[in-house]
């Protein structure tokens, strides 16, 4: 964890309790440099300064940061007004600096203390968890990995040859991570063993050391790719998700979230393999047209996929759900009012933090990872305080009107208030699901011809995708099997019957009870998050 986070009261306390190892990040130590930068017209390797103090403020291997995209690595400090760079500047960088620019100095950090602490943890038989991308982001693909984990593993074994370190890739795949109570899938890859020859190359130093680090780094990157979905863009992610939903062998069965992630990953592999194929290009255009049509009607795919209903049946369901919506809203709306201070506070803080994150990052798209983090932090601190204020108001009312045991009653209310509010939030979420389900019912009543055409469009597209995948899947995936999901279903049924003992039933029942997606499931539609995934 970043050492700067250790300085925060709550987060630092939790980090120390979890025995986290602090990491000094160079960007946290960045300082504003004196004077302005200028270019040397004679050399792309030379940076000149105006009123600068390079000999006092800059050192070899420091970074000179001009903006989010221009960072120059210093090779040598020649004088107070002249620096030599390790790599030449390109024409764009020289053009930006030529006008005279302010700059920041990001110092080079010697991480030897960090590696010593990691070695000590390994020598004691412990393990470490590391996020090798170096920071959070909301991009659809992984960032280039930092070399830290590779150096930690190789240097630890080089120091103690009796160590048997395994690197286990762990993939975190989120479904709507910025939304409240959204789900995630944690996938574990095949453990990576470190070859003795890599350690030998590392110990020789020089170019061979860098080769060993790079090879292990690449192996780790491939391991993470095997347990994550790495889409080149958001548009491709939407394309893959739609194609996966329309693939009939999988669509005809209810997949677990981990199976959804794996199928998305396999579809992405196939997409990259056939990216230049004219047949896939034509399919891509049809999928985009289908998605645009859904957007026009304000529908999602799962709403179109449901069985067609007669006009009388659709009208009956529409009226019934409308009454359910009104009934549930009576319970959910008071919860919104009571929690509105937290909602407004969360909105204000998260927007400010989002803007700060976007301004200081070159990799974030919408900083949704920051939104999610600060929503949790605001709710974790704000909810107990808000409910405490309500309890205090209740205490004052009871005290003023002479009720017995006002303090005990107000404390009981403070304890049970979060549970009541949580139940109301679940009811409100069911209301939202019912509201969403009204759209296709209304369309089927008001414009049945358009809705039927949309269904036909989906069915034909589903047939085309299924045919293309079944005919060409084996070219992109060695283990492709048309009957994969049919066999999977039969296997799961056999295992379910074989292991359905009393203990197993108890565990399953407990899991079902604790999974809040089954609470207050009053609507006939599925969880919107599961459907949209």
């Amino acid at each position: 964890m970043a050492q700067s986070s250790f300085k925060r009261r709550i987060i630092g306390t939790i980090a120390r309790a979890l025995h986290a190892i602090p990491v000094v990040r160079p960007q946290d130590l960045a300082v504003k440099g004196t004077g302005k930068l200028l270019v040397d017209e004679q050399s792309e390797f030379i940076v000149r300064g105006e009123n600068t103090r390079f000999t006092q403020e800059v050192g070899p291997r420091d970074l000179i940061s001009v903006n989010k995209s221009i960072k120059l690595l210093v090779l040598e400090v020649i004088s107070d007004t002249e620096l030599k760079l390790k790599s030449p500047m390109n024409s764009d960088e020289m053009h930006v600096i030529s006008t005279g620019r302010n700059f920041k100095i990001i110092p080079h950090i010697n991480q030897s203390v960090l590696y010593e602490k990691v070695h000590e943890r390994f020598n004691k038989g412990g393990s470490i968890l590391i996020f090798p991308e170096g920071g959070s982001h909301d991009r659809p693909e992984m960032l280039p990995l930092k070399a830290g984990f590779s150096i930690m593993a190789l240097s630890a074994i080089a120091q103690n040859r009796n160590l048997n370190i395994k690197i286990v890739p762990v993939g975190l795949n989120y479904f709507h991570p910025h939304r409240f109570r959204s789900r995630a899938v944690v996938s574990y890859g095949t453990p990576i063993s470190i070859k003795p020859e890599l350690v030998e190359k590392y110990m020789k130093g020089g170019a061979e050391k860098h080769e060993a680090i790079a090879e292990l780094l690449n192996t780790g990157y491939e391991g993470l790719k095997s347990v994550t979905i790495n889409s080149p863009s958001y548009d491709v992610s939407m394309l893959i998700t739609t194609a996966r939903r329309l693939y009939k062998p999988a669509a005809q069965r209810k997949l677990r979230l981990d199976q959804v992630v794996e199928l998305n990953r396999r579809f992405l592999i196939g997409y990259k393999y056939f990216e230049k194929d004219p047949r896939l290009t034509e399919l891509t255009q049809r999928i985009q047209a289908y998605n645009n049509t859904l957007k026009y009607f304000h529908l999602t795919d799962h709403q179109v996929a449901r069985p067609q209903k007669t006009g009388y049946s659709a009208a009956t369901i529409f009226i019934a759900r409308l009454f359910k919506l009104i009934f549930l809203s009576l319970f959910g709306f008071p919860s919104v009012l009571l929690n509105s201070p937290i909602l407004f506070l969360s909105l204000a803080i998260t927007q400010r933090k989002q803007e700060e994150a976007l301004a200081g990052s070159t990799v974030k798209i919408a900083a949704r990872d920051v939104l999610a983090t600060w929503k949790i932090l605001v709710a974790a601190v704000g909810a107990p305080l808000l409910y405490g204020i309500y309890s205090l108001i209740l205490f004052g009312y009871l005290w003023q009107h002479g009720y017995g045991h006002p303090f005990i009653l107000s404390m009981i209310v403070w304890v049970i208030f979060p549970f009541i509010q949580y139940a109301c939030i679940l009811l409100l979420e069911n209301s939202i699901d019912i509201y969403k389900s009204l759209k296709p019912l209304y369309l089927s009543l008001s414009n049945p011809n358009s809705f039927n055409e949309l269904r036909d469009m989906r069915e034909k597209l589903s047939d085309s995708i299924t045919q293309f995948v079944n005919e060409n899947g084996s070219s992109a995936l060695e283990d492709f099997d048309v009957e994969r999901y049919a066999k999977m279903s039969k296997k799961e049924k056999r295992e379910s019957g074989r292991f359905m003992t009393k203990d197993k039933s108890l565990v399953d029942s407990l899991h079902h009870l604790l999974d809040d997606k089954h609470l207050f499931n009053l609507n006939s539609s599925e969880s919107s998050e599961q459907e949209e995934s």
Side-chain angles (χ1 to χ4, degrees):
M1 180 181 287
Q3 191 176 57
S4 58
S5 298
F6 272 71
K7 298 177 182 178
R8 298 179 181 178
R9 183 174 300 177
I10 298 176
I11 296 177
T13 302
I14 296 174
R16 282 184 282 272
L18 295 174
H19 305 290
I21 299 175
V23 180
V24 180
R25 299 189 304 180
Q27 59 266 36
D28 295 334
L29 303 179
V31 295
K32 185 177 180 181
T34 305
K36 293 187 176 182
L37 294 182
L38 298 168
V39 296
D40 187 320
E41 301 294 342
Q42 305 300 320
S43 174
E44 297 89 351
F45 286 90
I46 299 297
V47 171
R48 297 195 178 276
E50 180 182 289
N51 300 322
T52 50
R53 299 187 298 178
F54 291 151
T55 56
Q56 301 173 50
E57 298 177 345
V58 184
R61 302 177 71 182
D62 287 353
L63 280 176
I64 302 298
S65 176
V66 180
N67 55 34
K68 290 195 295 184
S69 59
I70 300 180
K71 292 180 172 59
L72 310 173
L73 182 60
V74 177
L75 178 65
E76 179 185 357
V77 179
I78 299 174
S79 68
D80 269 337
T81 58
E82 190 174 357
L83 294 174
K84 185 176 182 180
L85 305 178
K86 185 173 183 179
S87 302
M89 294 178 287
N90 58 40
S91 57
D92 291 336
E93 292 171 338
M94 294 186 71
H95 175 72
V96 170
I97 299 174
S98 63
T99 57
R101 297 298 295 264
N102 294 324
F103 63 99
K104 289 184 178 180
I105 304 165
I106 302 177
H108 169 71
I109 302 297
N110 184 353
Q111 298 287 11
S112 58
V113 175
L114 168 67
Y115 294 132
E116 287 176 5
K117 291 182 179 179
V118 171
H119 296 169
E120 182 181 353
R121 181 73 57 84
F122 285 148
N123 290 330
K124 290 181 178 179
S127 59
I128 63 168
L129 174 67
I130 186 170
F131 291 84
E133 291 175 281
S136 65
H137 63 91
D138 56 349
R139 304 185 74 85
E141 80 283 1
M142 285 194 304
L143 299 178
L145 304 188
K146 306 294 184 182
F149 80 91
S150 180
I151 297 173
M152 289 176 187
L154 291 170
S155 61
I157 299 177
Q159 188 182 84
N160 182 358
R161 302 303 294 269
N162 294 322
L163 288 176
N164 182 23
I165 295 175
K166 303 287 186 182
I167 300 174
V168 182
V170 181
L172 302 178
N173 298 280
Y174 298 97
F175 294 85
H176 313 297
H178 61 294
R179 294 185 184 175
F180 178 59
R181 298 194 317 108
S182 59
R183 297 175 183 269
V185 174
V186 181
S187 305
Y188 296 89
T190 304
I192 300 170
S193 299
I194 300 173
K195 302 175 184 177
E197 28 303 8
L198 281 184
V199 180
E200 296 294 339
K201 290 176 68 175
Y202 178 85
M203 295 177 67
K204 291 179 180 179
E208 290 190 272
K209 176 180 179 179
H210 292 295
E211 288 177 9
I213 294 172
E215 184 175 337
L216 186 56
L217 182 67
N218 185 62
T219 304
Y221 183 78
E222 293 299 322
L224 279 177
K225 280 176 61 178
S226 69
V227 290
T228 54
I229 302 170
N230 288 276
S231 176
S233 68
Y234 176 77
D235 290 338
V236 173
S237 295
M238 293 300 296
L239 181 74
I240 294 299
T241 301
T242 304
R244 185 263 304 163
R245 287 190 59 84
L246 297 178
Y247 180 54
K248 287 189 173 180
Q252 293 168 354
R253 295 162 182 82
K254 188 171 179 61
L255 302 180
R256 301 190 309 269
L257 283 180
D258 60 310
Q259 293 172 334
V260 170
V261 170
E262 175 62 15
L263 186 55
N264 280 345
R265 192 183 68 82
R266 295 170 72 85
F267 261 82
L268 184 59
I269 293 173
Y271 173 83
K272 292 179 178 178
Y273 186 88
F274 290 102
E275 190 171 5
K276 304 297 183 183
D277 192 308
R279 296 172 299 169
L280 182 60
T281 302
E282 189 265 339
L283 265 182
T284 298
Q285 292 172 349
R286 290 176 60 189
I287 292 173
Q288 290 172 340
Y290 174 67
N291 283 335
N292 290 335
T293 307
L294 291 177
K295 188 181 295 184
Y296 174 80
F297 285 110
H298 302 286
L299 296 174
T300 55
D301 176 67
H302 73 270
Q303 294 172 325
V304 181
R306 288 187 180 133
Q308 186 172 359
K309 296 177 175 63
T310 63
Y312 174 78
S313 175
T316 304
I317 294 173
F318 182 85
I319 295 172
R321 291 186 181 178
L322 190 60
F323 277 107
K324 282 184 181 180
L325 178 62
I326 296 171
F327 176 76
L328 291 176
S329 298
L330 294 176
F331 292 94
F333 186 68
S335 174
V336 174
L337 288 180
L338 289 171
N339 289 286
S340 58
I342 299 177
L343 297 177
F344 288 121
L345 181 64
S346 174
L347 181 64
I349 293 178
T350 53
Q351 283 185 343
R352 180 164 58 86
K353 294 296 182 181
Q354 182 185 32
E355 292 171 359
E356 292 176 358
L358 288 173
S361 173
T362 59
V363 298
K364 297 183 188 296
I365 299 176
R368 287 182 169 181
D369 54 320
V370 175
L371 285 177
T373 300
W374 280 97
K375 283 180 180 178
I376 293 173
L377 292 176
V378 171
V381 176
L385 290 177
L386 180 63
Y387 300 155
I389 292 173
Y390 290 151
S391 299
L392 187 62
I393 294 172
L394 176 63
F395 172 77
Y397 177 83
L398 296 175
W399 178 273
Q400 185 177 3
H401 289 79
Y403 287 91
H405 309 293
F407 179 76
I408 296 176
L409 289 175
S410 59
M411 286 299 297
I412 291 174
V413 169
W414 184 72
V415 171
I416 67 173
F417 207 93
F419 298 98
I420 296 174
Q421 291 301 307
Y422 185 64
C424 290
I425 288 173
L426 294 181
L427 289 173
L428 188 63
E429 286 186 346
N430 274 270
S431 301
I432 294 173
D433 282 346
I434 293 175
Y435 172 74
K436 290 179 178 179
S437 73
L438 295 178
K439 295 178 183 178
L441 290 171
Y442 176 77
L443 182 62
S444 66
L445 291 171
S446 62
N447 194 353
N449 291 334
S450 296
F451 197 65
N452 290 335
E453 289 175 3
L454 186 56
R455 285 184 183 277
D456 292 339
M457 180 182 186
R458 184 188 191 279
E459 185 64 24
K460 292 177 181 177
L461 183 57
S462 178
D463 289 336
S464 299
I465 290 173
T466 303
Q467 181 180 354
F468 181 83
V469 172
N470 289 346
E471 290 178 356
N472 302 282
S474 57
S475 300
L477 298 163
E478 293 182 359
D479 60 345
F480 177 79
D481 185 359
V482 175
E483 302 296 327
R484 177 186 183 91
Y485 293 98
K487 294 176 181 177
M488 188 180 296
S489 298
K490 293 178 181 178
K491 180 180 178 182
E492 288 177 350
K493 287 180 181 179
R494 288 197 303 269
E495 291 180 349
S496 176
R498 187 185 307 161
F499 296 106
M500 189 53 67
T501 61
K502 181 178 179 180
D503 292 338
K504 181 71 175 179
S505 299
L506 180 62
V507 172
D508 288 344
S509 299
L510 183 61
H511 179 269
H512 187 279
L513 180 64
L514 295 177
D515 191 345
D516 59 22
K517 72 179 180 180
H518 300 295
L519 296 176
F520 309 110
N521 191 21
L522 302 178
N523 58 304
S524 58
S525 62
E526 303 173 46
S527 167
S528 60
E529 179 191 331
Q530 175 72 23
E531 290 163 336
E532 291 173 8
S533 69

